């Protein structure tokens, strides 16, 4: 019955959504990037509703489950292969693959009900699915970064911000403008894993997190955080931990997102996620392994973008921004002069928390539009507060945003509200 209600809600809401703007926009101008003039192009094929695997499920064991029990459960439920998270200390999450002809929904139900005696060992079961960022317009184009390692800091200091995105291109420049001029990437030399240098590329399973997205999405997000912290008075010591979970088309898998979250939580106190998916009426997204990880780590704060479909997220849920935990901050976008919500921005009186400027944000001479670029403003403000008061909890950081945010002026559309009715300024 729950899934039927969700499906009906999704169908009704989709009629509204399909008429709305649905992109982070990176608008072109006459400038050139890395020596080449780029033309405006639409990055298509980005599906923000889940696309489910027909033969895979994600299993979360209770902590301390013996390997012998895991082997028994895989065999009992008919998994023909399994995969653990790359480079993660936590071995409680696995991706199970089943043989041809499997009906994945009753298989998930059987595991959840513990028909193999595994109910005391398996904590949760999720569908595996892929999703992608909202479609973008890009003038930046692709960029191959040949000098990634040189931007890793000699030693970490200050605050660490994990950026879940398409990766990062530290040497990117345009007309002698550079987004990054000194080492700023997380140094993983003391992590006890010889394979990691800084972050990790969960798409290609290697240590090089080069941003191959045609819009350089992750590079822009990291650049916004880096610029705000460097321009603070005084500057805030920090390092960016790149977690590449999205490919060149902005596509991510849920399993990689979970693994990236496990990887980041042992290294960073601030998690920046400018990505997400919408409830399609099928998956029970309110009770998931990702939600379990967020709950299990109340010391970490998750800064998330609200999405760009002009959607009321109270009606059609968007995740991870829609998770209700107090350590999840959802950010909508306001326009250039912070006098109204941006036309493309999602909103929600209970599911979205704050506004930040997400229109015409400058990056190497190009104006950027999207909640993807509003969220890192909030991440930077949180990082600055965390550095100045390291003992701050996520609740303290939330209260700081509430106290220091600028009240939305009366010019804001009163039908598109967010919970705290504040604009966060850098």
């Amino acid at each position: 019955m729950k899934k039927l209600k969700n499906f009906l809600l999704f169908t009704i809401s989709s009629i509204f959504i399909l008429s709305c703007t649905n992109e982070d926009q990176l608008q072109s101008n006459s400038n050139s990037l890395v020596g080449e003039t780029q033309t405006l192009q639409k990055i298509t094929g980005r599906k923000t509703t889940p696309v489910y695997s027909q033969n895979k499920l994600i299993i979360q064991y209770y902590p301390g489950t013996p390997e012998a029990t895991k082997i028994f459960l895989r065999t009992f439920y008919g998994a023909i292969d399994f995969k653990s998270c790359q480079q993660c200390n936590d071995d409680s999450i696995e991706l199970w693959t089943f043989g041809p002809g499997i009906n994945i929904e009753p298989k998930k139900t059987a595991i959840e009900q513990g028909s193999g005696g595994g109910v005391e060992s398996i904590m949760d079961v999720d569908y595996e699915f892929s999703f992608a960022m909202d479609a973008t317009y890009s003038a930046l184009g692709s960029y191959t970064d040949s000098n990634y390692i040189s931007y890793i800091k000699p030693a970490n200091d200050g605050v660490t911000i994990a950026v879940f995105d398409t990766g990062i291109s530290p040497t990117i420049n345009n007309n002698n403008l550079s987004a990054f001029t000194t080492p700023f990437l997380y140094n993983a030399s003391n992590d006890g894993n010889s394979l990691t240098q800084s972050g990790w590329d969960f798409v290609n399973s290697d240590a090089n997190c080069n941003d191959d997205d045609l819009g350089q999405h992750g590079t822009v997000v990291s650049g916004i955080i880096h610029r705000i912290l460097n321009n603070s008075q005084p500057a805030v010591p920090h390092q960016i931990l790149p977690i590449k979970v999205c490919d060149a088309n902005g596509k991510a898998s849920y399993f990689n997102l979970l693994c990236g979250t496990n990887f980041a939580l042992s290294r960073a106190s601030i998690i920046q996620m400018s990505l997400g998916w919408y409830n399609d009426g099928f998956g029970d997204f309110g009770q998931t392994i990702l939600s379990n990880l967020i709950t299990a780590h109340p010391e970490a704060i998750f800064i998330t973008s609200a999405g760009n479909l002009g959607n009321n997220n109270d009606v059609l849920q968007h995740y991870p921004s829609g998770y209700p935990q107090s350590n999840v901050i959802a950010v909508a976008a306001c326009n250039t002069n912070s006098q109204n919500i941006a036309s493309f921005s999602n909103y929600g009186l209970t599911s979205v928390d704050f506004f930040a400027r997400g229109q015409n944000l400058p990056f190497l001479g190009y104006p950027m539009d999207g909640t993807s670029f509003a969220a890192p403003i909030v991440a930077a403000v949180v990082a600055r507060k965390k550095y100045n008061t390291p003992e701050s909890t996520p609740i303290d950081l939330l209260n700081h945003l509430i106290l220091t945010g600028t009240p939305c002026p009366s010019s804001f559309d009163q039908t598109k509200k967010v919970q705290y009715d504040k604009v966060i300024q850098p």
Side-chain angles (χ1 to χ4, degrees):
M1 181 62 71
K2 179 180 178 181
K3 290 181 179 178
L4 177 60
K5 290 179 179 178
N6 284 344
F7 177 76
L8 292 173
L9 182 60
F10 170 75
T11 303
I12 294 169
S13 301
S14 295
I15 296 172
F16 166 74
I17 286 176
L18 289 174
S19 67
C20 297
T21 304
N22 68 338
E23 59 267 351
D24 287 345
Q25 294 179 337
L26 288 74
Q27 303 168 4
S28 74
N29 61 12
S30 60
N31 290 335
S32 62
L33 182 72
V34 293
E36 296 182 8
T37 300
Q38 305 293 324
T39 57
L40 189 67
Q41 55 182 320
K42 186 177 183 182
I43 313 302
T44 59
R46 295 192 167 178
K47 187 177 179 63
T48 52
T49 52
V51 178
Y52 295 94
S53 168
Q54 298 303 303
N55 68 334
K56 292 181 171 65
L57 290 172
I58 303 172
I59 307 298
Q60 184 180 30
Y61 300 104
Y62 281 105
T65 299
E67 182 60 27
T69 302
K70 296 178 183 178
I71 293 172
F72 166 77
L73 291 170
R74 293 179 207 126
T75 302
F76 182 88
Y77 288 114
I80 62 173
D81 197 8
F82 77 98
K83 180 181 180 182
S84 299
C85 289
Q86 307 165 33
Q87 313 308 320
C88 294
N89 297 326
D90 186 353
D91 62 356
S92 67
I93 296 175
E94 292 181 348
L95 179 66
W96 286 7
T97 301
F98 299 91
I102 189 70
N103 192 332
I104 204 68
E105 186 171 6
K107 175 66 73 174
K108 179 177 183 287
T109 300
I111 298 172
E112 287 173 331
Q113 293 176 347
S115 59
V119 66
E120 71 281 0
S121 298
I122 294 178
M123 180 177 177
D124 212 338
V125 185
D126 284 350
Y127 293 109
E128 164 67 331
F129 61 89
S130 63
F131 64 96
M133 299 172 177
D134 295 344
T136 67
Y137 283 89
S138 175
L140 293 177
S142 60
Y143 186 80
T144 300
D145 201 307
S146 60
N147 203 19
Y148 178 88
I149 294 176
S150 68
Y151 280 80
I152 297 175
K153 295 179 68 170
N156 299 319
D157 62 343
V159 62
T160 301
I161 306 101
V163 176
F164 283 64
D165 220 289
T166 57
I168 191 166
S169 300
T171 64
I172 195 168
N173 62 85
N174 180 37
N175 286 346
N176 296 318
L177 294 174
S178 296
F180 312 99
T181 56
T182 58
F184 68 98
L185 294 176
Y186 176 86
N187 187 318
S189 61
N190 294 323
D191 287 2
N193 189 331
S194 61
L195 295 178
T196 58
Q197 299 170 316
S198 180
W200 191 257
D201 180 350
F202 288 89
V203 177
N204 300 299
S205 303
D206 60 42
N208 190 340
C209 294
N210 178 62
D211 189 349
D212 53 4
D213 175 57
L214 287 177
Q216 294 292 296
H217 192 278
T219 301
V220 177
V221 169
S222 294
I224 291 169
I225 296 171
H226 182 66
R227 179 177 60 194
I228 292 172
L229 294 181
N230 277 351
N231 291 342
S232 297
Q233 297 297 326
V236 176
H238 66 281
Q239 46 276 331
I240 300 292
L241 173 67
I243 307 293
K244 184 173 179 177
V245 294
C246 300
D247 65 13
N249 294 312
K251 182 179 178 181
S253 85
Y254 178 58
F255 180 68
N256 282 346
L257 180 66
L258 292 175
C259 293
T261 302
N262 258 334
F263 182 91
L265 283 169
S266 63
R267 296 164 171 84
S269 58
I270 300 169
I271 311 294
Q272 159 66 43
M273 291 182 171
S274 283
L275 45 75
W277 63 91
Y278 293 87
N279 188 349
D280 65 347
F282 181 74
D284 292 327
F285 292 114
Q287 299 294 325
T288 65
I289 296 172
L290 180 57
S291 180
N292 293 343
L293 291 175
I294 293 170
T295 299
H297 291 272
E299 76 285 356
I301 188 165
F302 293 74
I303 312 298
T304 62
S305 58
N308 307 315
L309 292 182
N311 173 55
N312 183 346
N313 288 357
D314 292 349
V315 177
L316 180 64
Q317 298 93 339
H318 176 270
Y319 296 101
S321 68
Y323 285 122
Q325 290 91 329
S326 59
N327 57 334
V328 177
I329 305 297
V331 184
C334 57
N335 62 11
T336 304
N337 57 8
S338 300
Q339 293 301 301
N340 204 349
I341 185 174
S343 61
F344 53 78
S345 179
N346 290 357
Y347 57 94
L349 187 58
T350 62
S351 57
V352 182
D353 298 298
F354 299 100
F355 289 103
R357 179 181 168 186
Q359 189 176 59
N360 292 323
L361 285 167
F363 183 81
L364 299 182
Y366 291 87
M368 307 295 171
D369 290 355
T371 62
S372 286
F373 311 123
I377 292 176
V378 177
V381 172
V382 165
R384 185 168 56 214
K385 176 63 175 176
K386 183 68 174 178
Y387 173 72
N388 290 328
T389 55
E391 70 280 4
S392 294
T393 66
I395 291 295
D396 295 331
L397 297 170
L398 171 62
N399 287 333
H400 174 72
L401 295 173
I402 295 171
L403 290 172
T404 61
T406 302
C408 292
S410 59
S411 55
F412 266 67
D413 187 337
Q414 297 303 301
T415 68
K416 297 180 177 181
K417 304 276 284 184
V418 298
Q419 184 168 6
Y420 297 109
D421 201 33
K422 296 285 184 71
V423 177
I424 306 302
Q425 305 288 356

